[in-house]
Amino acid sequence: MPRVVFSHAMKRHIDCPPLDVEGPNVRTALDHAFSKNPAARSYVLDDQAHVRKHISIFIDGTALRDRKTLTDKLSSTSEILIVPALSGG
């Protein structure tokens, strides 16, 4: 079962424990995660359900390719890591 993990930096803004979810792709997995944690949805996705510019998502250590429709495939052991983008100097 894929696992959705929120970085420590995101936990400062919202309560978001790791979640085991179902889904063959990122969209389905995130829909399941957000059904259990609705507050996280608006922080990660914009009003068109695209990944917000300030959020990075990694699947098994590789950056998400499809930031609009979230069709990247998952395996049963995939980890989806959600990280806010860092800036500054």
Side-chain angles (χ1 to χ4, degrees):
M1 195 173 270
R3 185 171 185 86
V4 177
V5 178
F6 297 87
S7 73
H8 181 70
M10 286 201 53
K11 292 177 184 177
R12 284 188 268 163
H13 303 284
I14 54 173
D15 182 31
C16 45
L19 296 167
D20 292 322
V21 297
E22 295 182 18
N25 58 44
V26 174
R27 168 66 65 201
T28 306
L30 289 181
D31 285 346
H32 284 283
F34 297 147
S35 72
K36 296 176 183 179
N37 188 348
R41 185 183 195 286
S42 63
Y43 192 83
V44 175
L45 303 178
D46 64 19
D47 60 344
Q48 296 178 343
H50 301 163
V51 178
R52 290 188 180 277
K53 291 179 184 179
H54 71 277
I55 296 292
S56 295
I57 296 178
F58 298 92
I59 304 159
D60 301 324
T62 302
L64 178 72
R65 286 178 278 148
D66 180 5
R67 293 178 60 87
K68 290 188 178 184
T69 57
L70 307 171
T71 58
D72 294 43
K73 302 286 184 212
L74 301 174
S75 73
S76 62
T77 59
S78 287
E79 180 179 271
I80 301 166
L81 175 62
I82 302 174
V83 181
L86 300 176
S87 63

